Amino acid sequence: MAQISLLDLFLQYVWIDTRSVMGSSQHPSSAGQKVLGELIQRQLLEAGLGFDQLIPLRDGSFLVNFSATPGSQGAPHVVYAVHLDTHYSFPGKACPIVHYYRGGDIVLPQGGVIISANDLAGLGGGKRIVTADGSTLLGADDKAGVAALVVVIRSLLADSIEHGPLTFWFCVDEETGGLDFEAVPAETVRSWSIFWTVDGEQAGLIDVGCLASHLTVISFKGETAHPGLQGDRIKPAHYAAAKFVARLAEEYPTPMTASGQRPFYYVVEIKGDATLASVTCVPRSFDTAELEQMAQTLRTLAERCAHRYGCTATVDDKLSCINTRLAVDKHMDLVQPAIDAHRALGLEPKLGDVRGGTDGAALNMLYPDLPAPNIGAGARNLHGPKEFLVVDELELVPPIILNMIRRYSRMSI
């Protein structure tokens, strides 16, 4: 185990198909997640992890716990989390290719997939870039973070490193929104001081804020009849749904038109027929309070489109995640070790708000005061066959985290 490098671990992990399955009632939703989880557990046990340090959870995920070293019992309890699954939209068993990149486009051997030089700007000079072959995604989201944490745990087991209470969480079904925070006993979570996810893109980025979101399902109910003989009796629910999506795209901000701090509406699914049709939409904003106004906009637009075709509309709306800044801003002292650790490794960290959600945003729905920032691990172009990993950036992650751990050990709460 000691001879397996960080890159070799990553390459080993991406061969395993951990593509999660949307809508599955199984946990984990795919067999590959269990295979990868069992492999990691074997590797850690072989590296010296105690059986009592390994805590399996009901959803198929597992925790790895470290008690504080002498003198650091009063330090913050720090958690690092990664997820084993890859995005459900593409096959997840990657055939990885290591490129020594010197410029230009990268042309992958399958599917006519080209990663443009624009996406690779600043990465020339022989940097190692890992891609899949074009027929799958790579899975650096989040197997880069997974491999980094395995190396961190190996280092803790092999070396005399001061640390406070530590927990590492290897999660499942994050990509489908099925990450089960309730699988961890509430009294355990209440002992945590800060919850770091290692699930970002460029190394050096620290996501302290993210988009909050509602999950809104608009259902249109209509009536059908023979289109040739009784066309005047048709009240087409699917026409109302289509009109709703068209107007939403034309009159309001979308992911294709919004950037920066602007909110947007995104339709993730439209389905149905004349009798019943539905649209699933996620309004997103950095301002959680603004989401209620956006939800009201969807209700009003749905009613107008339903009326246009003689249908009725009902709206089921709920908050699905909140901005992590609400908790992080209260605990910037617990973020400072990460800032200092990046600088110690020669990276000037960039704190910002990611135009997406994070696991911390879902965690804060249950535990609103637990700071949950996110750090990058070198992945780019996530969720598709153009995904790639910058190896030089990934290799910075374990030393950054180990430096953070040492700094936390000298703090007290």
Side-chain angles (χ1 to χ4, degrees), residues 3 26 78 106 128 185 209 264 278 303 338 352 388:
Q3 286 73 35
Q26 302 295 318
V78 183
I106 292 180
R128 290 166 295 165
F264 61 85
S278 67
E303 290 169 0
F388 65 90

Side-chain angles (χ1 to χ4, degrees), residues 180-407:
D180 188 1
F181 290 105
E182 294 182 346
V184 185
E187 61 270 20
T188 298
V189 180
R190 283 194 287 267
S191 74
W192 295 349
S193 303
I194 187 166
F195 182 91
W196 284 99
T197 49
V198 189
D199 192 21
E201 296 187 87
Q202 183 177 340
L205 295 181
I206 301 177
D207 301 321
V208 294
C210 66
L211 286 165
S213 179
H214 275 210
L215 177 64
T216 309
V217 179
I218 304 98
S219 299
F220 296 92
K221 187 176 181 180
E223 297 179 12
T224 190
H226 190 288
L229 301 177
Q230 297 171 318
D232 59 340
R233 298 184 184 181
I234 298 175
K235 298 177 180 179
H238 54 329
Y239 277 43
K243 173 67 74 173
F244 172 85
V245 173
R247 287 194 57 181
L248 191 65
E250 291 167 359
E251 300 173 21
Y252 298 93
T254 70
M256 297 79 76
T257 60
S259 60
Q261 291 289 312
R262 287 189 70 199
F264 61 85
Y265 301 84
Y266 183 51
V267 172
V268 297
E269 184 180 61
I270 176 171
K271 62 182 180 181
D273 54 24
T275 303
L276 185 65
S278 67
V279 176
T280 302
C281 181
V282 284
R284 309 210 71 172
S285 172
F286 288 106
D287 182 358
T288 304
E290 185 178 25
L291 290 173
E292 183 51 47
Q293 178 184 342
M294 296 175 75
Q296 183 56 49
T297 295
L298 293 176
R299 293 187 194 100
T300 301
L301 182 60
E303 290 169 0
R304 290 174 179 170
C305 293
H307 183 265
R308 167 68 176 78
Y309 291 101
C311 304
T312 59
T314 57
V315 178
D316 180 20
D317 180 80
K318 63 181 180 181
L319 183 66
S320 59
C321 64
I322 61 178
N323 191 339
T324 50
R325 255 194 192 274
L326 300 175
V328 171
D329 282 348
K330 300 175 186 176
H331 301 282
M332 284 303 296
D333 59 314
L334 291 171
V335 178
Q336 191 62 44
I339 296 172
D340 295 338
H342 279 76
R343 288 173 176 163
L345 271 294
L347 278 178
E348 184 56 36
K350 298 177 182 178
L351 278 65
D353 301 279
V354 62
R355 282 188 65 81
T358 66
D359 300 336
L363 174 72
N364 285 159
M365 291 287 291
L366 289 173
Y367 302 97
D369 294 324
L370 180 61
N374 181 44
I375 61 176
R380 308 283 203 284
N381 288 353
L382 311 183
H383 297 179
K386 296 182 180 182
E387 182 185 14
F388 65 90
L389 174 76
V390 184
V391 178
D392 303 70
E393 293 185 15
L394 173 60
E395 289 181 341
L396 290 171
V397 177
I400 286 172
I401 292 176
L402 289 167
N403 193 294
M404 290 168 63
I405 287 170
R406 293 185 182 95
R407 291 174 188 276

